[in-house]
Amino acid sequence: MGLGFSSECCTDSTTQAVEVVHNPSTDESTTFQMPYDIPTSREQNPETARGQTTAAKATPPTPERDLEEQEKVKARLRRLTTEFVKEAVARDGCLGRCAVVVVDESAQSCYNAIYALDKKLTEFILTPSDASQRCQRVIPIPSFRDTWLATEYRSCDVPAWRTKFEPDDLERLVVVEFQSPDFPPLFMLERTKEHAVRFVQAMTILTLYNSEADVPKSW
């Protein structure tokens, strides 16, 4: 199943502040506290977790660990997340510049959309290109549980699931799981494999950033 695009896309010892957005028209900046150690549910090295795509729990520094390399990994994740937010944040009436194809889990239908983040980095906004067919979805980021590359998502262990997509499409497909089982996973086809990797890494960090907020029961 080949899928494509038809739409145009318009510190202390534990935390470190990172400026991620600057709006010249208002001279305002959006900042968030970048976790110094970036955990997920897996106890893995950040350089190898999820095929070198997702931030994983960084173990405390030890004499045996290459601290310089550890700092390089953290710096790379901070830079990547900053670039992602600059592109995705919605401001000045613009929805952002992140075009995707949203795919239902059965892969029987799909639609073009643009996703964005609000300035407070607490909401994920998914806007269909054709507003007459589908409604905009505003998803609180605290509702996110985990974000995956489809090639590493557990359903990919089922051969029949993988055959629904061309290999190139599967590499660009990302999966968002939500805290509540009432909401099915969100499948989105990014522009390139590199964009998919960046989405997974950045949204993992932003989910952690919002981890102290209450999880909405509905949205």
Side-chain angles (χ1 to χ4, degrees), residues 21-75:
V21 174
H22 178 69
N23 186 346
S25 64
T26 61
D27 197 32
E28 294 179 350
S29 296
T30 299
T31 62
F32 70 97
Q33 294 294 317
M34 171 64 73
Y36 195 77
D37 286 325
I38 306 171
T40 66
S41 59
R42 266 147 294 200
E43 302 284 338
Q44 294 180 319
N45 185 296
E47 298 158 309
T48 59
R50 296 189 197 169
Q52 300 182 11
T53 61
T54 306
K57 186 172 183 180
T59 56
T62 65
E64 294 78 18
R65 187 172 181 84
D66 187 343
L67 297 181
E68 181 178 354
E69 188 62 28
Q70 184 184 21
E71 292 305 314
K72 287 181 180 179
V73 171
K74 293 173 183 177

Side-chain angles (χ1 to χ4, degrees), residues 16-23 28-34 81-82 85 89 118-122 206 209-210:
Q16 179 174 347
V18 179
E19 181 176 313
V20 292
V21 174
H22 178 69
N23 186 346
E28 294 179 350
S29 296
T30 299
T31 62
F32 70 97
Q33 294 294 317
M34 171 64 73
T81 305
T82 298
V85 173
V89 73
D118 71 317
K119 287 185 179 181
K120 295 182 179 179
L121 308 181
T122 59
L206 292 177
Y209 166 60
N210 284 277

Side-chain angles (χ1 to χ4, degrees), residues 10-212:
C10 69
T11 91
D12 55 23
S13 60
T14 57
T15 60
Q16 179 174 347
V18 179
E19 181 176 313
V20 292
V21 174
H22 178 69
N23 186 346
S25 64
T26 61
D27 197 32
E28 294 179 350
S29 296
T30 299
T31 62
F32 70 97
Q33 294 294 317
M34 171 64 73
Y36 195 77
D37 286 325
I38 306 171
T40 66
S41 59
R42 266 147 294 200
E43 302 284 338
Q44 294 180 319
N45 185 296
E47 298 158 309
T48 59
R50 296 189 197 169
Q52 300 182 11
T53 61
T54 306
K57 186 172 183 180
T59 56
T62 65
E64 294 78 18
R65 187 172 181 84
D66 187 343
L67 297 181
E68 181 178 354
E69 188 62 28
Q70 184 184 21
E71 292 305 314
K72 287 181 180 179
V73 171
K74 293 173 183 177
R76 181 182 63 80
L77 291 173
R78 284 194 291 266
R79 182 172 61 252
L80 177 147
T81 305
T82 298
E83 293 172 354
F84 174 82
V85 173
K86 283 183 177 180
E87 183 174 339
V89 73
R91 59 186 183 275
D92 298 334
C94 181
L95 292 175
R97 304 187 301 276
C98 301
V100 290
V101 174
V102 181
V103 186
D104 72 8
E105 189 170 2
S106 63
Q108 297 301 311
S109 65
C110 59
Y111 62 91
N112 290 280
I114 294 174
Y115 67 76
L117 303 171
D118 71 317
K119 287 185 179 181
K120 295 182 179 179
L121 308 181
T122 59
E123 294 179 336
F124 182 83
I125 306 163
L126 189 62
T127 305
S129 299
D130 186 353
S132 66
Q133 298 295 321
R134 290 178 172 83
C135 297
Q136 182 186 70
R137 298 174 67 183
V138 180
I139 306 173
I141 294 179
S143 296
F144 282 43
R145 187 180 75 182
D146 214 345
T147 308
W148 299 80
L149 285 176
T151 52
E152 297 174 345
Y153 186 55
R154 63 178 181 275
S155 292
C156 281
D157 293 335
V158 181
W161 195 92
R162 298 180 68 97
T163 60
K164 295 174 183 176
F165 300 93
E166 298 291 341
D168 289 346
D169 288 340
L170 198 61
E171 288 187 343
R172 297 186 288 131
L173 192 66
V174 299
V175 186
V176 178
E177 290 186 304
F178 300 107
Q179 299 279 3
S180 172
D182 295 334
F183 297 101
L186 173 64
F187 292 78
M188 299 188 302
L189 187 69
E190 273 281 10
R191 289 158 283 177
T192 66
K193 178 181 178 180
E194 290 72 26
H195 282 93
V197 169
R198 186 183 71 165
F199 180 89
V200 171
Q201 291 180 325
M203 288 309 302
T204 296
I205 292 175
L206 292 177
T207 300
L208 175 62
Y209 166 60
N210 284 277
S211 61
E212 298 299 322

